[in-house]
Amino acid sequence: MIPRELSETESMKLLASTPLGRLVFSEHALPAIRIVGHVVDDGDVIIRTRPTTTALAPSGTVVTYEADVIDPHTFLGWSVVVTGLAEWVTDALDVARYEEMLPRWGAAVADQVIRIRPHWITGCEFAGG
Amino acid sequence: MIPRELSETESMKLLASTPLGRLVFSEHALPAIRIVGHVVDDGDVIIRTRPTTTALAPSGTVVTYEADVIDPHTFLGWSVVVTGLAEWVTDALDVARYEEMLPRWGAAVADQVIRIRPHWITGCEFAGG
């Protein structure tokens, strides 16, 4: 299994190819992770999560988002990690549009749509050697 | 898709059933995530990762560890999250034993074996509704 670094373009294309990923953030000064559904829109990662139980401020919090597809038997696949500012999406038209695009994952009621603007993008492909 | 909370026992059993998971920690004050291989040994989560590029102190750092198996089409599956103190395993016999048990994932050279003692264990099953 040989890890190969992916370009930002390759990484974002892979991220857009899968519906689920993991939001990584600080909660009560502890590292926290939550599985959410996502879509990629014009380079931004759009997710939906419960705002009351997260430490995500409406005005923006730096978070990390990860998605991967790895075969548990061969360990071949890829992993993409982006870090950037996560902001609540408040524009009603944007919210409605993203609600349509987002995968039907988790409770839709009282969830907040959040836009992550990737600042750092890294990806790794695990290929056969 | 109906989320169901899992007991600690169910959660640890599922965690032990899969070879890969995600180490979540703080690195340079930013949320960081890295895929690693793991085994569960007597209730502890044993992983192997690169010490020089992590913020894991030999004496112990609080980290979160996540593993999941979720079908990307049906969204059915489970996710387990444990948080606890991560310590470097320094006993040579323990290191040798864990090296045997750990999945062959990533570069073995210069990797550090780390023991996470779960303090909080949560798990969720996503079942058909």
Side-chain angles (χ1 to χ4, degrees):
Chain A
M1 192 271 295
I2 300 166
R4 179 177 76 89
E5 207 174 304
L6 298 171
S7 70
E8 296 196 355
T9 305
E10 289 174 306
S11 297
M12 290 305 291
K13 194 176 286 186
L14 286 169
L15 186 60
S17 74
T18 190
L20 299 180
R22 297 157 198 91
L23 179 68
V24 178
F25 56 104
S26 282
E27 193 168 35
H28 309 309
L30 290 172
I33 183 168
R34 179 171 308 150
I35 295 193
V36 296
H38 72 260
V39 289
V40 173
D41 178 58
D42 197 22
D44 293 332
V45 181
I46 311 296
I47 64 169
R48 190 170 49 192
T49 190
R50 288 159 288 159
T52 51
T53 55
T54 75
L56 303 186
S59 57
T61 309
V62 174
V63 303
T64 289
Y65 192 76
E66 190 264 358
D68 59 62
V69 173
I70 294 175
D71 185 297
H73 302 291
T74 63
F75 296 157
L76 303 183
W78 56 267
S79 168
V80 167
V81 176
V82 305
T83 297
L85 196 65
E87 301 165 314
W88 291 25
V89 177
T90 50
D91 182 275
L93 286 176
D94 282 344
V95 169
R97 188 163 64 91
Y98 291 141
E99 290 282 0
E100 279 300 307
M101 295 166 66
L102 281 161
R104 298 276 159 260
W105 165 260
V109 179
D111 279 1
Q112 177 64 46
V113 176
I114 287 163
R115 177 189 290 116
I116 305 169
R117 301 186 184 277
H119 188 82
W120 295 281
I121 302 167
T122 61
C124 194
E125 183 188 47
F126 308 102
Chain B
M1 191 270 295
I2 301 166
R4 178 178 76 87
E5 209 173 301
L6 298 170
S7 71
E8 295 195 356
T9 305
E10 288 174 306
S11 297
M12 289 305 291
K13 194 177 285 186
L14 286 169
L15 186 61
S17 74
T18 190
L20 299 180
R22 297 157 198 91
L23 178 68
V24 178
F25 56 104
S26 282
E27 193 168 34
H28 309 307
L30 290 172
I33 182 167
R34 178 172 309 152
I35 295 194
V36 297
H38 72 259
V39 289
V40 174
D41 178 58
D42 196 22
D44 294 331
V45 181
I46 312 297
I47 64 168
R48 191 169 47 192
T49 190
R50 289 159 287 159
T52 51
T53 54
T54 74
L56 304 185
S59 57
T61 309
V62 175
V63 303
T64 289
Y65 192 74
E66 189 264 0
D68 58 62
V69 173
I70 294 175
D71 185 297
H73 302 291
T74 63
F75 296 156
L76 303 182
W78 56 267
S79 168
V80 167
V81 176
V82 305
T83 297
L85 196 66
E87 301 165 316
W88 291 24
V89 177
T90 51
D91 182 274
L93 287 176
D94 283 343
V95 170
R97 188 163 63 90
Y98 291 141
E99 290 281 0
E100 279 300 307
M101 294 166 67
L102 281 161
R104 299 274 160 261
W105 165 261
V109 179
D111 278 3
Q112 176 64 45
V113 176
I114 287 163
R115 177 189 290 115
I116 305 170
R117 300 187 184 277
H119 189 81
W120 295 282
I121 301 167
T122 61
C124 195
E125 184 188 47
F126 308 103

